[in-house]
Amino acid sequence: MSRTAPEVELDGQYRALREEAGFLPRRRSSLLVTGKDATEYLQGQLTNDIEALEASQGCYAALLDRKGHIEADMRVLHIDGPFSASRPGGPRMTGHLSLDLEPGPAGAALKHLRTYSIGRNVEVEDVSDRWAIVSLIGPRAPELAGTEGLGPEHAQRPCETAGVEVLAVATDLGVDLITRSEQVESLRESLAASGAAEVSEAAAEILRVESGRPRFGLDMDAGSMPAEAGIVERAVSFEKGCYIGQEPVARLHYKGKPNRRLRGLRLSAAAEHGETLRLGDREVGTVGTAVLSPSLGPIALAVIRREAEERDVLTVGEAGATAEVSDLPFAA
């Protein structure tokens, strides 16, 4: 059966991301946390070690409720340097903590952080309208962005990319370029002129799934604990002091195994988000993000019960498709 034009186009975007470089704007929310108590405050709210961050470093972290369930996951950046992404005449973004998270949980996270900050010298501000993020993905990303040698994931460097002032942040697949909202179109034009291909979110999602990284609202939600979502290694510090939700997270880590965990699925046919997964007659979970990888075929992420082990074959939905349970990541 011949493939449709959109599939062929998606294949080309995927090849650009794997072999060269591609870029796309991201829809994210940004919270700015300032004040002399900002670092100490976030240390007691988030799962990772915020106090250990030095200037121009960052980390991945989660905000939990008291039962250890994820309210939001985020990238935390300790911004330092001459980069300015504020509105004209506003304060420069230097020496502050920036939280980059999905738009869905951002409102609840903002409310939580403001509520618990009462009585502290901390201000939490939604600056999503001022900042824009363009992801540059692929092996040539550092070259095209002019950020060779930037460092490990979350490392930052203020610079100019094709004449546009940006804060470059290293990612697992390339580099994120953060700039003022009014500059984003100029940045996109400059990246295209440099040889990077503009790609769709669907193409970028294939690489995310292959890498085994869950996304809030698709693969994990407010009912998930970090161990179930497979983010403990990246998001949780067991050496720091107390934070909201620490006790159930530590208890699960040291004394037992989660009843559910993030796994990969190698599908016999395309699947939809939310379709049920069964091992024999027992429902063990639902499909999270499902994509059609040009390299691996139809694959998906899913948080499933632990009795479904690697290489077990699950039934997907009602159409008779199957899913073989796989370890993560799918692709190095």
Side-chain angles (χ1 to χ4, degrees):
M1 186 173 72
S2 62
R3 295 188 299 176
T4 64
E7 289 174 325
V8 174
E9 182 182 353
L10 192 62
D11 281 2
Q13 295 175 24
Y14 175 85
R15 286 195 301 272
L17 293 173
R18 280 294 181 201
E19 299 171 8
E20 296 287 338
F23 68 92
L24 72 158
R26 296 291 195 180
R27 184 172 175 266
R28 302 283 290 178
S29 290
S30 295
L31 306 181
L32 187 67
V33 185
T34 58
K36 68 182 183 65
D37 297 334
T39 300
E40 178 188 2
Y41 173 61
L42 288 183
Q43 182 79 347
Q45 298 296 316
L46 305 182
T47 55
N48 219 333
D49 193 350
I50 307 305
E51 289 183 344
L53 295 179
E54 297 182 2
S56 299
Q57 291 183 340
C59 68
Y60 177 61
L63 177 69
L64 309 179
D65 65 18
R66 296 195 176 276
K67 294 183 178 180
H69 297 123
I70 302 169
E71 291 190 353
D73 68 326
M74 64 197 70
R75 175 172 59 187
V76 184
L77 302 178
H78 183 172
I79 299 177
D80 185 72
F83 176 71
S84 173
S86 61
R87 50 179 177 256
R92 295 179 68 79
M93 301 296 100
T94 178
H96 303 323
L97 292 164
S98 171
L99 312 181
D100 162 35
L101 64 164
E102 293 281 356
L110 178 63
K111 181 180 179 180
H112 174 116
L113 292 173
R114 282 179 170 171
T115 298
Y116 284 91
S117 70
I118 294 174
R120 296 173 177 267
N121 189 334
V122 175
E123 182 178 350
V124 186
E125 184 180 6
D126 186 344
V127 294
S128 305
D129 61 335
R130 306 179 207 169
W131 290 16
I133 300 177
V134 176
S135 290
L136 185 58
I137 300 171
R140 293 190 62 204
E143 171 197 342
L144 298 184
T147 58
E148 293 95 333
L150 179 58
E153 186 173 5
H154 310 303
Q156 308 149 49
R157 180 192 301 165
C159 61
E160 283 194 5
T161 296
V164 179
E165 183 187 26
V166 302
L167 179 68
V169 182
T171 69
D172 61 317
L173 296 171
V175 60
D176 275 356
L177 304 174
I178 305 175
T179 190
R180 293 185 293 273
S181 296
E182 63 269 21
Q183 292 278 59
V184 68
E185 288 305 319
S186 295
L187 179 59
R188 292 170 69 173
E189 292 172 3
S190 298
L191 290 173
S194 73
E198 185 155 14
V199 301
S200 63
E201 183 178 2
E205 283 288 87
I206 296 173
L207 271 69
R208 179 181 68 81
V209 173
E210 290 180 345
S211 299
R213 293 204 168 186
R215 184 172 177 181
F216 194 92
L218 292 174
D219 311 300
M220 56 182 175
D221 54 30
S224 306
M225 296 184 71
E228 296 172 333
I231 64 171
V232 168
E233 184 176 342
R234 292 191 294 131
V236 179
S237 169
F238 293 100
E239 306 298 325
K240 60 177 281 184
C242 295
Y243 58 86
I244 293 176
Q246 179 192 40
E247 184 177 345
V249 169
R251 184 169 59 246
L252 184 59
H253 179 73
Y254 289 114
K255 295 185 178 180
K257 296 180 179 179
N259 290 326
R260 305 184 302 156
R261 53 184 175 170
L262 181 74
R263 305 304 298 267
L265 301 176
R266 295 181 182 271
L267 303 161
S268 65
E272 296 294 331
H273 176 267
E275 287 194 273
T276 57
L277 297 166
R278 289 185 173 84
L279 179 62
D281 294 331
R282 183 172 187 182
E283 184 174 329
V284 293
T286 59
V287 175
T289 307
V291 299
L292 179 59
S293 165
S295 296
L296 303 173
I299 56 175
L301 299 177
V303 174
I304 57 179
R305 294 191 62 82
R306 66 182 183 187
E307 54 262 38
E309 300 179 346
E310 187 176 358
R311 297 190 179 180
D312 280 348
V313 177
L314 311 179
T315 302
V316 183
E318 305 298 331
T322 59
E324 180 182 326
V325 179
S326 171
D327 201 4
L328 292 171
F330 288 103

